[in-house]
Amino acid sequence: MDQILNSLHYIKPEISAAIALSVLVIIDLIMGKNKKYLSIVMILGLLATTYFIIEQFGNSSFAFNSDSSKFGLLAVDSFGSFFKLLIILSSLIVVLFSITSYEIKKAKERLGEYYSLIWGMIIGMFFLVMSADLIVIYLALELLSLSSYVLAGITKDTLRNSEASLKYVIYGGVSSGIMLFGISILFGNTGTTNIYEINALFQTQQLQGLVVTLSALLIFAGIGFKISAAPFHFWTPDVYEGAPITITAYLSVASKAAGFALLLRFTKVTLIDSINTDGSWNLISLIDWKTFLIIISILTMTLGNFAALWQNNLKRLLAYSSIAHAGYILLGLIALSNEGLMAVMIYFVIYAIMNLGAFFVVMLIANKTGSEELDDYRGLGKVAPLLTVSLAIFLISLTGLPPTAGFIAKLYIFLALINSKMIIVAFIALLNTVVSLYYYVRVLKYMFLDKSEKEIAPIKINFANSILLIVLLIPTILLGIYFTPLVEFAKNSIALLGF
Amino acid sequence: MQNFPILSLLTFLPIVGMIFILSLTKRQEKTIKWITLIVTGVQLLIAIVILFFYNFSMAGINDPSSFQFVEKFRWIEITGLAWVGTIKIDYFLGIDGLSVVLVLLTTIVTFIATFASWNISKSIKGYFALFLLLDTAMLGVFVSLDFFLFYVFWELMLLPMYFLIGVWGGPRREYAAIKFFLYTLLGSVFILLVMIGLYFSATETLANGSKVFSFNILTLMDTANYTTTGILSPFNPNNLRFIAYIALFIGFAIKIPMFPFHTWLPDAHVEAPTAISVILAGVLLKMGTYGILRISYPIFPDITIQLLWYIGLFGMINIIYGALAAMAQKDFKKLIAYSSVSHMGYVLLGMASLTTASLSGAVLQMFNHGTITAMLFIIVGIIYDRAHTRDMDAFGGIANQMPIYTGFVAVAFFAAIGLPGLSGFISEALVFVGAFSSELIRTITIISTLGILLGAGYMLWAFQRIYFGELNSKWKELKDLELREYFMVVPLTLIIILLGVYPSLILQFMTTSVNALVKFMGDAQIIISSIN
């Protein structure tokens, strides 16, 4: 009991999030039909939680361990705090999007539920990025998934919306079942659910290689679903297309970040054998993890990029592009080095900014035109210069051309890869960028090169939205020219507890 | 003068102009054009100032202390940890005999291209903003001495170019624009890979004695800086220098464009508006050959010397193939585009024999081709503006209708053929003299001379079809040159004639550097071969 009380200060952000969730629900109940203040309450809660996360930075300790010499349920470290900060900031941005989203406005009577479920996702993700125990991993993953299933279908007004939700539930259910199966095998073999203890067993004892490998692969499958890595990516396009765009943006950034944080922690903690002085990792040689990850990664990016070539719906296009990006981010893990880990973290910050920016513009345009079809983007360059130029910059950054931030993100991944002597992989990934250029530039073609057949009314956006857009634009360009602070931040945050 | 950041001013002045233009409203068309003209005009003046203060005795190439107008400061510095070294990127600008010529060419061509852009009527604000962005990118490539910076400028060029062709181009502009974009990005991918590989292979010693990896091109040229295990280090017995050289070469060759990577060029040229064709042929193509001379040659002297014969061979193929393809064209602009392929072949041929004469010839050919082709594209633009067709068979007898124009055309055509007294002759002659003296590529050189014959063939044939013969009655209304057009053709004609008579005007800037490059290649090759 004492141990539990002592650990409570380690989960201040989570407690803050839980309180904010409760306050939100209560206010929603009291205010009834008046939804005016919900967004403000939401934002205040997010800011308070952000404060606690920043306060927590630099901690490095287990929480909820039965005694201080043992491994605990949660690992509180800079790595976790980094991802929590990323998650909370993207939540903040998504909430700001939601205020102006037409789709969410239409479902106004469910705004209370919408925000509470976002809190549900946040709490799930927070626990996910710091979990050191398979049970916590599973519970956090379920909390995250269940909240997001409902959010994907929250507006209920279109068929595709309900379809998205249903598909998500089915795919999600199956994959978490697979993962649970993996967890149970691992538990059966090791007698513990703590990943640090499992690692200790791996290092000292001869475990049944085949069974353990199988269980690790099953767990990878569960995580692969969350980060939409091939071959578990099939849900992504449909869900991304059907869900309200704010949620699509949120899933593509925050949920994916949490999934990656879990993947990185799981891989590094459970499977590691030793770390060399140059920061490269030696994994326990059950199977050739590197080749396995290389295949997954290349498959993911290639499938994502080639499928994106044929898309005519911008949301779907961005969905496939986010699959491709998951492939690039996996490359950072493949390097199996601290440098690669740092590259992943840099990538995620930049990816969050540019991807949220792209979705924001698509949302603002859809608010007016009611469509995300590329055909309706014809000639928009003339009537909405700020929006289309911003979208162009976000897309160029997603392609990874200098001098935008996207180039720096890719550069660090490739630096890590080439430093690990994986030139062929780097080459394939770079060829993929060339492919991706085609579909990103295709959007530019529709906006600037083509003419609209019908008259389109100028799209005006209000002052607050243009500020938000510019807030997203500035780092997209600035981080491409001066990236020292970001790299320093990522470098100082890679400390995983125990390593 | 050497301490004033004149190169930064030169490079980033267009960005300032671009910001001014973006702050104007769409209706202020005149102001937008004049801002562009003033910016490019001032750039030309700055380039001339640079020429005045240029010290002929300083060679550059691999010696940091003999670069001129150097600006160097730390741009990115991220202190290292146990597992990752310090990351350091310099903002490093400077020019030597290779780049000063191309800086001058760029400013001349952009200034003239501004006049050629004067009759653009569609979204003027966007056009000139992108035009100025392109200007910055081009100059940035020629003045950067840090590979990272070089790469950023190299890529920065793509986006404005895509839009300039894609929005303001001809009927098949979308296809041409995306083709250009994909091709060049593919090339950049190779360059990026080699850049990262080189970064991890060589270190630079900082003031505090610590060794850090470096993107500095001059550091990468010195064999002593390479680590023993770097993948592109000559000290590593399993190094990948050969593959890296080929990759880098392909990256640059796409830009030249070298056969078989040239297919984007005719499309891009045919669809691009006149001013953009002028810049494309005048400046952009030179970036490929400049990149090879600045980066591939001195960083990989060992591999270069192994592959000289092949470089010459591809030069020869470019010359002959380009000329034959030009001969088969009906479209006037496509003919000029293929003649570019052929003329860039001379640059490659010149580079293939490491003699002072042929390398000087190659660099001078870059300059001369820049001015001559710029003029040829302007000539095409002038007739297209009036007749709205480029089909050579539809013309005939234009000489009677537009005699002054035809006079200028004659100068440009004869310069392109290589008539003595005009600038093209000097550079081609130097290339052939140098290349012939190299035993290795003598046969190639002899075959390449066929290109001169073929060049005369297609140029004169085109001249005859368009300007001589019976005047087609359709063209009775065509008017001769107007004032704006004189501004474009007269300066170029003067340059062509002046350099034909007195080539030392340009040659004097590069002689020291070219000599240094030839000497460096020889010395470095000996050092590296002694390692293995």
Side-chain angles (χ1 to χ4, degrees):
Chain A
M1 190 63 198
D2 269 357
Q3 209 56 44
I4 291 179
L5 287 179
N6 282 342
S7 291
L8 280 184
H9 74 273
Y10 286 126
I11 56 164
K12 273 189 205 159
E14 290 73 18
I15 295 175
S16 153
I19 293 174
L21 166 63
S22 325
V23 171
L24 190 92
V25 172
I26 293 168
I27 289 185
D28 187 34
L29 284 175
I30 296 172
M31 299 296 252
K33 286 218 153 46
N34 186 353
K35 307 284 181 191
K36 253 191 240 163
Y37 302 104
L38 283 181
S39 303
I40 297 168
V41 174
M42 182 75 192
I43 291 169
L44 288 177
L46 288 170
L47 292 176
T49 313
T50 314
Y51 169 77
F52 288 113
I53 296 171
I54 293 171
E55 192 199 51
Q56 210 182 39
F57 251 98
N59 266 340
S60 186
S61 160
F62 283 109
F64 299 105
N65 36 1
S66 51
D67 83 63
S68 53
S69 63
K70 292 228 175 89
F71 301 117
L73 291 180
L74 301 177
V76 184
D77 50 23
S78 304
F79 176 80
S81 302
F82 178 92
F83 275 96
K84 280 188 212 171
L85 195 62
L86 182 72
I87 288 163
I88 201 83
L89 290 180
S90 49
S91 311
L92 187 64
I93 294 169
V94 166
V95 168
L96 292 174
F97 290 179
S98 307
I99 296 173
T100 40
S101 165
Y102 185 62
E103 278 174 297
I104 304 300
K105 270 187 194 152
K106 269 201 299 189
K108 208 173 179 188
E109 68 279 11
R110 287 189 293 281
L111 194 64
E113 288 90 322
Y114 175 78
Y115 283 145
S116 340
L117 286 164
I118 288 189
W119 272 123
M121 281 182 75
I122 293 174
I123 296 171
M125 290 188 278
F126 277 10
F127 279 111
L128 200 58
V129 299
M130 63 196 295
S131 53
D133 191 284
L134 293 172
I135 300 289
V136 183
I137 290 178
Y138 184 71
L139 287 177
L141 204 61
E142 282 303 281
L143 179 55
L144 166 62
S145 303
L146 288 174
S147 311
S148 40
Y149 299 153
V150 185
L151 277 174
I154 190 94
T155 59
K156 292 204 298 197
D157 59 340
T158 58
L159 207 56
R160 65 170 196 180
N161 201 249
S162 315
E163 182 195 329
S165 190
L166 190 64
K167 270 197 180 146
Y168 202 12
V169 174
I170 295 170
Y171 275 104
V174 171
S175 67
S176 66
I178 294 175
M179 186 170 177
L180 194 59
F181 186 44
I183 290 176
S184 60
I185 297 176
L186 202 53
F187 176 69
N189 267 269
T190 58
T192 172
T193 53
N194 189 296
I195 54 173
Y196 287 85
E197 281 176 25
I198 294 173
N199 178 252
L201 286 171
F202 273 157
Q203 297 205 4
T204 51
Q205 265 173 283
Q206 206 57 45
L207 293 168
Q208 280 196 304
L210 185 67
V211 181
V212 174
T213 310
L214 179 70
S215 65
L217 288 179
L218 291 173
I219 294 174
F220 273 134
I223 304 174
F225 167 77
K226 264 280 156 278
I227 62 173
S228 54
F232 311 106
H233 67 283
F234 291 104
W235 62 277
T236 317
D238 291 334
V239 173
Y240 280 19
E241 190 188 355
I245 196 158
T246 49
I247 295 305
T248 309
Y250 197 49
L251 287 177
S252 74
V253 173
S255 170
K256 195 167 269 191
F260 262 102
L262 171 64
L263 177 64
L264 294 171
R265 190 186 288 279
F266 180 78
T267 313
K268 193 171 179 189
V269 171
T270 319
L271 299 174
I272 199 127
D273 194 21
S274 59
I275 298 184
N276 305 330
T277 45
D278 65 352
S280 60
W281 314 340
N282 301 319
L283 293 192
I284 288 162
S285 50
L286 293 167
I287 58 166
D288 190 352
W289 296 109
K290 203 176 226 177
T291 315
F292 168 69
L293 287 169
I294 287 174
I295 292 168
I296 297 280
S297 154
I298 288 182
L299 206 62
T300 307
M301 70 176 89
T302 314
L303 277 173
N305 278 328
F306 277 90
L309 291 177
W310 320 111
Q311 301 310 319
N312 289 318
N313 179 299
L314 209 56
K315 246 166 131 183
R316 225 178 151 79
L317 187 143
L318 286 173
Y320 280 110
S321 116
S322 88
I323 296 175
H325 280 272
Y328 298 130
I329 299 171
L330 272 172
L331 292 175
L333 177 61
I334 288 170
L336 294 179
S337 64
N338 289 350
E339 213 185 345
L341 192 62
M342 180 175 89
V344 170
M345 293 162 91
I346 294 169
Y347 203 108
F348 249 113
V349 174
I350 291 171
Y351 170 73
I353 296 168
M354 61 197 184
N355 215 34
L356 287 174
F359 274 114
F360 186 43
V361 177
V362 174
M363 182 193 94
L364 288 173
I365 291 174
N367 276 351
K368 298 283 185 216
T369 63
S371 159
E372 290 126 11
E373 293 298 321
L374 260 181
D375 277 337
D376 295 317
Y377 276 68
R378 276 182 215 279
L380 272 189
K382 276 236 184 296
V383 295
L386 175 66
L387 282 178
T388 45
V389 169
S390 311
L391 184 56
I393 293 172
F394 291 131
L395 292 178
I396 287 304
S397 181
L398 282 166
T399 319
L401 294 183
T404 57
F407 171 62
I408 302 305
K410 290 227 166 72
L411 178 76
Y412 269 89
I413 296 274
F414 291 122
L415 281 174
L417 270 184
I418 291 186
N419 206 14
S420 312
K421 310 261 186 304
M422 278 183 284
I423 295 149
I424 307 276
V425 181
F427 180 62
I428 296 173
L430 277 168
L431 285 185
N432 257 288
T433 348
V434 181
V435 175
S436 78
L437 174 81
Y438 181 78
Y439 61 82
Y440 289 125
V441 168
R442 205 165 142 242
V443 180
L444 305 195
K445 174 184 107 82
Y446 273 88
M447 292 193 302
F448 298 105
L449 271 54
D450 289 358
K451 283 200 188 72
S452 172
E453 285 120 30
K454 48 183 193 269
E455 272 302 303
I456 12 175
I459 299 177
K460 292 237 161 55
I461 54 169
N462 64 26
F463 184 68
N465 279 337
S466 25
I467 295 291
L468 183 55
L469 190 59
I470 287 164
V471 165
L472 289 167
L473 263 184
I474 288 173
T476 308
I477 296 171
L478 206 62
L479 287 176
I481 298 167
Y482 190 73
F483 45 92
T484 314
L486 174 64
V487 179
E488 289 279 358
F489 181 45
K491 191 186 73 187
N492 294 329
S493 308
I494 72 143
L496 264 167
L497 184 57
F499 298 98
Chain B
M1 200 62 211
Q2 292 283 347
N3 293 323
F4 181 75
I6 195 164
L7 292 180
S8 293
L9 180 71
L10 180 69
T11 310
F12 292 105
L13 191 67
I15 293 274
V16 178
M18 184 183 89
I19 293 168
F20 261 110
I21 286 179
L22 290 177
S23 65
L24 295 173
T25 63
K26 271 185 194 156
R27 299 232 175 73
Q28 292 164 289
E29 296 182 354
K30 275 253 159 64
T31 328
I32 291 171
K33 287 178 184 170
W34 277 101
I35 287 178
T36 314
L37 189 64
I38 290 168
V39 166
T40 49
V42 170
Q43 277 188 301
L44 183 56
L45 289 180
I46 294 175
I48 291 170
V49 169
I50 288 176
L51 293 187
F52 263 102
F53 286 89
Y54 188 84
N55 182 344
F56 296 119
S57 62
M58 287 163 83
I61 303 293
N62 66 326
D63 174 20
S65 60
S66 66
F67 270 89
Q68 306 189 37
F69 309 99
V70 171
E71 293 165 40
K72 186 177 185 184
F73 56 86
R74 201 54 42 86
W75 172 18
I76 301 286
E77 180 160 16
I78 298 156
T79 47
L81 289 177
W83 45 268
V84 57
T86 301
I87 293 165
K88 163 204 93 93
I89 301 170
D90 284 333
Y91 177 81
F92 186 15
L93 306 183
I95 50 175
D96 64 359
L98 295 181
S99 37
V100 71
V101 177
L102 292 165
V103 166
L104 177 68
L105 174 71
T106 309
T107 51
I108 293 173
V109 170
T110 1
F111 183 63
I112 286 166
T114 315
F115 284 106
S117 311
W118 216 254
N119 54 358
I120 292 282
S121 56
K122 191 166 143 192
S123 3
I124 289 183
K125 188 173 153 184
Y127 178 88
F128 284 97
L130 290 166
F131 183 86
L132 288 175
L133 186 62
L134 180 66
D135 190 2
T136 288
M138 293 187 301
L139 281 163
V141 166
F142 291 132
V143 298
S144 316
L145 292 177
D146 188 276
F147 207 160
F148 189 85
L149 196 61
F150 176 92
Y151 185 78
V152 168
F153 282 121
W154 179 276
E155 293 272 278
L156 184 61
M157 216 157 47
L158 300 185
L159 200 64
M161 205 61 198
Y162 168 76
F163 281 115
L164 287 168
I165 298 174
V167 178
W168 290 273
R172 283 171 74 240
R173 56 181 184 266
E174 289 172 7
Y175 169 76
I178 192 72
K179 193 169 177 183
F180 165 81
F181 208 159
L182 287 174
Y183 253 96
T184 7
L185 189 71
L186 187 68
S188 311
V189 161
F190 290 103
I191 299 175
L192 179 65
L193 273 176
V194 177
M195 178 178 101
I196 297 176
L198 284 169
Y199 172 74
F200 282 118
S201 302
T203 58
E204 184 174 344
T205 315
L206 291 187
N208 63 8
S210 61
K211 288 192 173 220
V212 296
F213 289 132
S214 173
F215 282 116
N216 186 330
I217 295 175
L218 306 183
T219 305
L220 294 172
M221 288 179 197
D222 189 349
T223 320
N225 290 325
Y226 282 87
T227 59
T228 46
T229 53
I231 43 173
L232 298 184
S233 159
F235 298 107
N236 180 351
N238 304 318
N239 67 53
L240 301 173
R241 284 171 74 85
F242 192 82
I243 297 171
Y245 185 85
I246 304 266
L248 192 61
F249 200 88
I250 291 176
F252 290 131
I254 288 178
K255 204 91 184 186
I256 296 175
M258 186 182 89
F259 180 88
F261 308 110
H262 66 282
T263 59
W264 62 270
L265 184 85
D267 286 312
H269 268 312
V270 168
E271 301 308 325
T274 302
I276 302 309
S277 283
V278 167
I279 288 195
L280 185 60
V283 183
L284 258 63
L285 305 190
K286 275 79 208 171
M287 287 181 182
T289 38
Y290 174 76
I292 293 174
L293 284 180
R294 167 69 68 217
I295 294 172
S296 298
Y297 267 41
I299 293 182
F300 299 96
D302 47 335
I303 319 289
T304 304
I305 286 175
Q306 288 176 40
L307 292 179
L308 280 179
W309 189 81
Y310 294 93
I311 298 174
L313 179 72
F314 276 104
M316 179 195 92
I317 295 176
N318 253 38
I319 294 172
I320 307 283
Y321 172 85
L324 289 174
M327 208 170 265
Q329 300 309 317
K330 282 202 159 72
D331 184 320
F332 193 8
K333 209 170 180 185
K334 228 170 184 163
L335 176 126
I336 306 296
Y338 276 109
S339 85
S340 270
V341 175
S342 178
H343 282 123
M344 289 308 283
Y346 292 112
V347 181
L348 278 172
L349 184 68
M351 282 162 32
S353 88
L354 280 177
T355 58
T356 310
S358 71
L359 269 181
S360 303
V363 181
L364 186 64
Q365 171 75 357
M366 287 194 226
F367 187 90
N368 288 341
H369 174 251
T371 45
I372 295 170
T373 319
M375 185 151 166
L376 289 172
F377 277 113
I378 288 169
I379 284 164
V380 177
I382 289 173
I383 193 83
Y384 183 70
D385 282 347
R386 288 165 169 72
H388 303 290
T389 177
R390 289 186 303 254
D391 183 2
M392 285 189 284
D393 294 335
F395 291 110
I398 300 291
N400 301 326
Q401 192 65 28
M402 302 169 71
I404 304 175
Y405 165 69
T406 310
F408 285 110
V409 172
V411 176
F413 269 46
F414 285 118
I417 293 168
L419 192 77
L422 298 171
S423 65
F425 168 73
I426 309 288
S427 45
E428 280 171 29
L430 278 172
V431 165
F432 278 119
V433 168
F436 196 76
S437 70
S438 151
E439 253 174 66
L440 180 71
I441 56 166
R442 190 163 288 161
T443 326
I444 290 176
T445 313
I446 292 168
I447 301 172
S448 299
T449 46
L450 263 179
I452 299 183
L453 203 63
L454 291 169
Y458 65 78
M459 282 315 240
L460 292 175
W461 191 30
F463 195 70
Q464 181 232 329
R465 275 189 287 174
I466 300 171
Y467 299 98
F468 294 147
E470 195 110 341
L471 181 66
N472 187 331
S473 56
K474 265 201 287 190
W475 313 126
K476 286 261 190 263
E477 304 298 312
L478 297 188
K479 291 202 169 58
D480 216 327
L481 296 184
E482 54 185 76
L483 186 64
R484 178 182 69 91
E485 290 158 351
Y486 279 112
F487 277 117
M488 299 189 283
V489 288
V490 172
L492 288 174
T493 310
L494 289 179
I495 292 172
I496 290 170
I497 296 174
L498 193 62
L499 289 183
V501 183
Y502 187 55
S504 302
L505 212 54
I506 293 294
L507 281 172
Q508 60 184 357
F509 288 101
M510 62 174 107
T511 315
T512 330
S513 295
V514 168
N515 279 327
L517 181 61
V518 173
K519 184 171 180 308
F520 172 76
M521 293 290 288
D523 294 349
Q525 199 249 341
I526 292 166
I527 293 171
I528 293 175
S529 56
S530 70
I531 292 167
N532 301 327

